[in-house]
Amino acid sequence: MTFDLVEPAAVALDEETRVARAVADTARESRPWCGGFLCADDAGTWANMALGAAMRGERITGRDVAEVVDWYESRGCEPHVQACAYSHPSLVRRLGEAGFVLKEMELVLVVNPAVALRIPWECPEHLSIERVPAGDDAAVTEFARVVTTGFYEGRDDAVQLALMERASRHERAVNLLARIEGEPVGGASLDIWGDLGGLYFAAVLPDFRRRGVQLALMRERLEIAAASGCRLATVGTLPGVATERNARRCGMTPCYTRVALVRPGKGLTPSE
């Protein structure tokens, strides 16, 4: 696959496959499902979802959906399926027939990282960004704690932290920690998947937001992606939030839409 011309369907196939594989590698349990994976972890964590399905023309049946429902409900988790604009239409149709509803929508934005780096930019004063050594357990734990705290607004959540530590140790993860005058203030990760660089896990501690930290982390990851030979970089974001604004400042443009579909039920724990 080449990215000389951005073909949204081809980008979606690569990106959805990358994300599905990464989550399946990280979750405590996973198994193939309709071209993607069913993933399960501690109740309430973000790794409880089915993703990457129906990207190669797989037609989803009622039996396939029943498998998803049973997989999650038997674990006390709300069934949660990711789909995108280029999933086979039968995926969303069958989920709707089974009572799944829309939880949220994401934009996936793309850019050639070499092009993005031509945009003028100044790093905030006193900010430094360091690469977290993969084999340094203490450094990985510090990174995971900063990102978890940023995502969950300072809430002490040992279960989410444990999952973040596992994700941070993924063999493809490139983790970056931002500091202001030596104090850790934010972190972000990059996944090199062939010639695609996936930007993810960007979080800044509440007291240090609106200082350009997230934008700096985005620029640094784009530099690494470009140096690694990536011809495309992607990021998924809720519309209208800081991640989208910073992505656009880096020249990233919307490519396709990803949606989360869930089936709420009494006593079932939603994923965060």
Side-chain angles (χ1 to χ4, degrees):
M1 175 178 176
T2 68
F3 299 112
D4 295 328
L5 294 174
V6 174
E7 294 289 345
V11 175
L13 175 59
D14 235 28
E15 173 68 357
E16 297 303 297
T17 301
R18 178 192 71 78
V19 175
R21 182 71 265 180
V23 177
D25 289 344
T26 300
R28 295 189 189 279
E29 300 179 77
S30 65
R31 78 182 193 203
W33 181 72
C34 299
F37 293 93
L38 301 180
C39 302
D41 211 282
D42 293 310
T45 57
W46 51 262
N48 287 298
M49 58 178 156
L51 63 173
M55 291 300 301
R56 295 171 176 81
E58 296 89 350
R59 292 178 179 271
I60 307 303
T61 66
R63 181 175 296 178
D64 294 325
V65 175
E67 182 181 355
V68 172
V69 171
D70 180 67
W71 171 266
Y72 291 105
E73 290 189 351
S74 67
R75 291 163 173 76
C77 298
E78 178 181 84
H80 176 151
V81 180
Q82 296 271 32
C84 81
Y86 294 97
S87 307
H88 192 276
S90 62
L91 176 61
V92 172
R93 183 170 63 249
R94 293 296 187 188
L95 291 172
E97 291 170 355
F100 281 72
V101 296
L102 179 67
K103 180 178 181 179
E104 64 184 21
M105 302 177 67
E106 277 192 343
L107 295 175
V108 176
L109 296 92
V110 298
V111 73
N112 180 325
V115 173
L117 295 175
R118 298 173 192 163
I119 299 173
W121 171 78
E122 290 186 13
C123 184
E125 190 175 5
H126 306 304
L127 177 70
S128 63
I129 296 176
E130 61 193 47
R131 190 161 175 167
V132 179
D136 187 332
D137 286 345
V140 172
T141 297
E142 180 184 35
F143 167 82
R145 188 173 298 280
V146 169
V147 173
T148 302
T149 302
F151 275 134
Y152 298 103
E153 300 293 335
R155 191 177 79 211
D156 185 13
D157 193 323
V159 174
Q160 296 286 6
L161 175 60
L163 176 57
M164 185 63 70
E165 284 202 50
R166 275 186 277 129
S168 302
R169 289 184 168 88
H170 190 276
E171 63 180 2
R172 294 197 311 272
V174 177
N175 302 313
L176 303 176
L177 188 65
R179 297 182 186 272
I180 292 180
E181 297 182 338
E183 182 176 356
V185 299
S189 299
L190 171 70
D191 180 3
I192 305 295
W193 177 264
D195 53 4
L196 181 150
L199 281 60
Y200 66 106
F201 280 168
V204 179
L205 298 182
D207 291 344
F208 296 93
R209 292 172 184 167
R210 299 184 180 276
R211 300 194 193 184
V213 175
Q214 193 194 81
L215 179 58
L217 285 164
M218 190 168 286
R219 291 279 304 200
E220 184 70 16
R221 287 177 291 168
L222 288 169
E223 287 190 15
I224 295 171
S228 300
C230 294
R231 301 178 67 186
L232 191 71
T234 59
V235 67
T237 174
L238 296 175
V241 302
T243 300
E244 183 194 0
R245 294 191 293 272
N246 287 321
R248 289 182 180 274
R249 291 182 182 120
C250 291
M252 303 185 86
T253 57
C255 184
Y256 68 94
T257 304
R258 176 189 293 145
V259 298
L261 300 163
V262 299
R263 194 171 98 151
K266 185 177 180 180
L268 300 177
T269 304
S271 303
E272 291 196 39

